[in-house]
Amino acid sequence: MNLDVMFEKFYSSGLFSDINLHFAEFLAGRCGERPEVFVAGAFVSRASSSGHICIDLEALGFSEPGITDMIPPACRDAGLWGDILIESGAAAEPGGFAPLVLEKPFRLYLFRYWQYEKDLAESLICRARQPAGTGGLPVSPEALAGFRRRRVSSEPDWQRVAACTALLKKLCIISGGPGTGKTTVVGDILSLALSAGEGASPRIALAAPTGKAAVRLQEAVGGKLAPLGVPASEIPDASTIHRLLGTVRGSPYFRHDADNPLPFDLVVVDEASMIDLALMAKLVAAVPESAHLVILGDRDQLSSVEPGSVLGDLCGVEDMNRFSASFVESASRFEVFPGDGKLSRGKVSSGPLLDCVVELQRSYRFEEWSGIGKISRAVKLGNGTAAFEMLESGDFPDAVWRHLPSPDGLAPAISSRILRFYRTLSAADEPGEALDRFDDFRLLCALREGPYGVRSINSQVEAILSREGAIRPDNRWYRGRPIMVTSNDYSLNLFNGDLGVILPDPSAEGRRRAFFRTGGVIRSIAPAGLPEHETVYAMTVHKSQGAEFDEALIILPDRGSPVLTRELIYTALTRARSRVEVWGRPEVFIKAVGSLTRRASGLGHRLWGGPAGSNAGVFR
């Protein structure tokens, strides 16, 4: 079969990008122009572009219209197809070197993603297998006594279990939804670790994938530790993961790696759902084996933009919070489990990470009556109909449904809300006041483009505010313009996702400056010196990760889209602290909740695969 004909046929299908097809053409060209190699290259490259780590040769159905008749017969037999790929040199089995790696039974990877996955799994398993308490962080008797006194029930407090796990194990993975106390856990971990006193206190690093998330982590941890009497000088600064590892300009590598590890005894990483496979592999490799690594996030949120769904794979089992008898015994001095040490026995998920994963289950933000809490739980379970019925019922003052207006009717529909929240931005006397007001409310969109996308809605908001005299957009730097940085600038300490506002600066003769809040400190930057940025009255749900607002208005498109998934709806709903409105069409909302993102990966199998232990003693 002629490769040029295949290329044109695949291209005209609209299912593959230029880079997918050029990679496939290159690969087939160096491997005897085998059509089976072209198909493998096209599909594995497309999968990577869609966030997958690998493809399963056996699961490909080739049902896409326009290319079915171009699929060689051998590609419909996974075993035969794999043999052809290896024979041609396009793929190698693990241990070999080729552009692709075929791992039994039929997982096909781009080489670099196979290497990242393998290295990450091996590093995590090595950490997890170290017995609990071996090289554990020291805790003062007084701090330990205070920690024990917080026990108020015979049932386990999963926040305390998580803190205990982080101190005892070299690896601790903590998952929990908004308001479940992840920041409280970090405060407990740090206060206990710092209690050992001068000379024994560990060197601590705090990190998050974005600058915005790092700032929130810094402020939240400082707010937890200051009332406990921890001096400000002992509270570690949070940074982005890239800054922690040390970016090498023009290179995908970092200064810190396995050969030059980080100089810390405890590394805490927040918002882990946003971390892709490549970055997580590099981060874990750079944490010394002697150090404790704590990874926190919400496994039900949107996955990373780049390939991988790492936090979900790390959490693995659906029913978490199962611990071995040996771990329960090691944790006894912390008194986080019932005193009688009851264990349940039976078939349970096994694997070296069993004692390393804790799920925080109680929400302290959303009360039992909260509509946001109830609806987000229904979404998390995939029950779109129930979630929609609760939204539409009018029974919950904090969660409201509204039918989506037509594109022409959208601006009039949002006008009153826009004027209520955004007209005061330009009137604020102080930058801190403007930034506080900006966090009161946010428009969240699923898409960037289209009549219900961020770009269109931002333009409509500017027009509404200008018409009412709330802003004067005579130039880009008009007073009250909210902006979001879209690229990292380490020299300015500004990062992708950082939010600011344009206001006159009295200390600069009233010239307009961009004001940002970093670590609780307000600073100003000349607009001409800003990195790439955009107006941000409205933002995508993806960009809102790591942020919270008092109120949120979620605008869904009028038709389905691949980005409309359960994770997106859940993430959007849980950005609101006090009230959320969802504007959409019932069928679009319900379909989105039923669309669970599944990213192909072998990481979960590497970490959790194998037979379930039938005699493992576990605490539940």
Side-chain angles (χ1 to χ4, degrees):
M1 192 176 295
N2 186 287
L3 287 187
D4 290 337
V5 175
M6 290 190 73
F7 188 103
E8 289 301 322
K9 192 79 171 180
F10 273 58
Y11 180 81
S12 62
S13 74
L15 299 170
F16 299 87
S17 69
D18 289 353
I19 194 169
N20 299 156
L21 296 179
H22 283 299
F23 172 75
E25 185 180 45
F26 166 78
L27 189 61
R30 72 186 295 276
C31 298
E33 298 199 351
R34 298 290 298 264
E36 297 87 356
V37 174
F38 181 91
V39 174
F43 275 86
V44 77
S45 178
R46 184 179 73 167
S48 173
S49 301
S50 301
H52 301 284
I53 301 303
C54 59
I55 59 173
D56 184 341
L57 298 185
E58 195 171 38
L60 292 176
F62 302 118
S63 59
E64 292 93 337
I67 63 167
T68 302
D69 60 337
M70 301 297 294
I71 303 299
C75 295
R76 301 182 185 278
D77 181 329
L80 176 58
W81 191 11
D83 291 342
I84 291 172
L85 294 177
I86 290 175
E87 177 194 347
S88 69
E93 294 181 333
F97 186 77
L100 308 178
V101 175
L102 180 61
E103 189 158 85
K104 299 298 183 182
F106 303 114
R107 289 200 302 270
L108 186 68
Y109 297 79
L110 291 170
F111 179 86
R112 68 179 182 275
Y113 286 118
W114 173 82
Q115 191 72 59
Y116 286 141
E117 184 181 281
K118 171 180 170 292
D119 291 349
L120 176 60
E122 289 177 352
S123 296
L124 293 172
I125 289 171
C126 180
R127 288 181 171 282
R129 281 183 171 155
Q130 296 186 49
T134 303
L137 293 171
V139 178
S140 73
E142 296 79 12
L144 182 58
F147 185 76
R148 287 171 171 170
R149 284 195 296 270
R150 284 177 46 198
R151 180 178 174 186
V152 296
S153 169
S154 61
E155 294 300 315
D157 176 344
W158 296 116
Q159 289 184 357
R160 299 174 68 246
V161 172
C164 165
T165 303
L167 295 168
L168 292 175
K169 298 285 291 184
K170 298 295 185 183
L171 174 67
C172 178
I173 301 157
I174 303 167
S175 178
T180 53
K182 295 187 290 293
T183 303
T184 298
V185 171
V186 175
D188 283 343
I189 295 168
L190 268 58
S191 63
L192 289 167
L194 292 170
S195 70
E198 189 174 349
S201 293
R203 297 164 297 174
I204 300 171
L206 303 177
T210 67
K212 174 178 57 180
V215 169
R216 287 192 66 245
L217 176 62
Q218 176 80 48
E219 292 174 346
V221 169
K224 294 292 182 183
L225 293 181
L228 299 177
V230 177
S233 59
E234 293 187 18
I235 300 175
D237 292 330
S239 72
T240 64
I241 296 172
H242 285 78
R243 171 160 284 210
L244 176 70
L245 296 179
T247 301
V248 177
R249 191 175 297 276
S251 168
Y253 303 106
F254 295 99
R255 286 192 300 106
H256 290 289
D257 54 20
D259 296 324
N260 180 32
L262 292 163
F264 298 106
D265 305 302
L266 171 62
V267 177
V268 178
V269 183
D270 197 14
E271 296 292 350
S273 66
M274 301 167 65
I275 305 175
D276 61 85
L277 175 67
L279 184 57
M280 185 67 84
K282 294 170 185 177
L283 169 65
V284 173
V287 178
E289 291 184 7
S290 59
H292 291 243
L293 174 62
V294 181
I295 299 171
L296 303 102
D298 183 350
R299 65 170 178 167
D300 296 304
Q301 279 194 25
L302 285 163
S303 297
S304 57
V305 174
E306 298 298 320
S309 183
V310 179
L311 183 60
D313 289 336
L314 298 191
C315 293
V317 294
E318 286 299 314
D319 187 11
M320 294 189 282
N321 294 349
R322 296 167 175 253
F323 296 89
S324 66
S326 61
F327 179 81
V328 173
E329 184 175 350
S330 298
S332 59
R333 67 189 178 100
F334 288 89
E335 296 183 3
V336 294
F337 294 110
D340 56 13
K342 287 181 180 176
L343 296 173
S344 71
R345 296 180 180 274
K347 274 195 170 295
V348 298
S349 298
S350 62
L353 269 62
L354 183 66
D355 291 334
C356 301
V357 181
V358 184
E359 182 179 38
L360 306 180
Q361 298 176 338
R362 178 184 172 187
S363 175
Y364 296 86
R365 179 188 303 170
F366 303 126
E367 302 291 342
E368 285 299 316
W369 53 264
S370 165
I372 299 176
K374 288 179 181 291
I375 294 164
S376 61
R377 284 193 291 273
V379 168
K380 189 163 69 169
L381 295 172
N383 196 336
T385 300
F388 170 72
E389 289 174 350
M390 284 188 282
L391 268 172
E392 191 188 35
S393 68
D395 293 340
F396 303 101
D398 64 332
V400 177
W401 173 269
R402 178 168 176 176
H403 189 76
L404 185 69
S406 68
D408 291 340
L410 184 60
I414 63 174
S415 181
S416 62
R417 190 71 53 82
I418 295 306
L419 293 172
R420 174 186 165 199
F421 284 104
Y422 286 153
R423 77 184 312 164
T424 59
L425 278 180
S426 60
D429 294 325
E430 299 290 337
E433 180 186 0
L435 291 169
D436 288 340
R437 291 178 182 178
F438 189 41
D439 281 343
D440 289 344
F441 171 76
R442 195 59 42 84
L443 284 162
L444 300 179
C445 304
L447 307 177
R448 283 193 59 82
E449 306 297 338
Y452 301 103
V454 163
R455 195 181 301 275
S456 172
I457 291 176
N458 273 324
S459 296
Q460 293 184 57
V461 171
E462 281 190 324
I464 292 168
L465 293 173
S466 177
R467 185 171 60 248
E468 296 295 327
I471 61 172
R472 296 178 59 188
D474 46 355
N475 61 56
R476 291 182 65 196
W477 315 117
Y478 62 83
R479 177 174 181 151
R481 179 191 173 204
I483 59 173
M484 179 172 62
V485 175
T486 57
S487 64
N488 295 333
D489 188 322
Y490 290 92
S491 63
L492 292 175
N493 201 30
L494 285 176
F495 303 96
N496 187 4
D498 284 355
L499 300 175
V501 63
I502 304 295
L503 288 173
D505 186 354
S507 66
E509 299 179 344
R511 289 192 294 271
R512 290 169 186 168
R513 308 267 292 182
F515 290 87
F516 297 86
R517 180 183 281 122
T518 303
V521 177
I522 304 294
R523 61 196 182 101
S524 70
I525 295 172
L530 289 172
E532 294 179 20
H533 60 279
E534 60 189 20
T535 303
V536 68
Y537 293 106
M539 67 196 313
T540 62
V541 177
H542 278 84
K543 286 289 189 180
S544 74
Q545 283 187 276
E548 295 174 355
F549 314 103
D550 286 340
E551 295 192 25
L553 170 55
I554 302 166
I555 300 178
L556 302 178
D558 58 352
R559 63 200 66 190
S561 165
V563 305
L564 283 175
T565 62
R566 182 183 307 175
E567 293 84 356
L568 183 136
I569 300 296
Y570 172 81
T571 302
L573 288 169
T574 54
R575 295 312 88 203
R577 288 185 288 255
S578 303
R579 189 175 187 274
V580 66
E581 277 193 35
V582 182
W583 292 12
R585 295 187 175 176
E587 67 276 11
V588 173
F589 177 87
I590 292 171
K591 183 179 179 181
V593 174
S595 178
L596 181 64
T597 301
R598 296 189 181 278
R599 289 187 167 179
S601 163
L603 182 59
H605 176 76
R606 295 178 193 274
L607 299 174
W608 297 98
S614 59
N615 295 310
V618 297
F619 182 87
R620 287 208 260 185

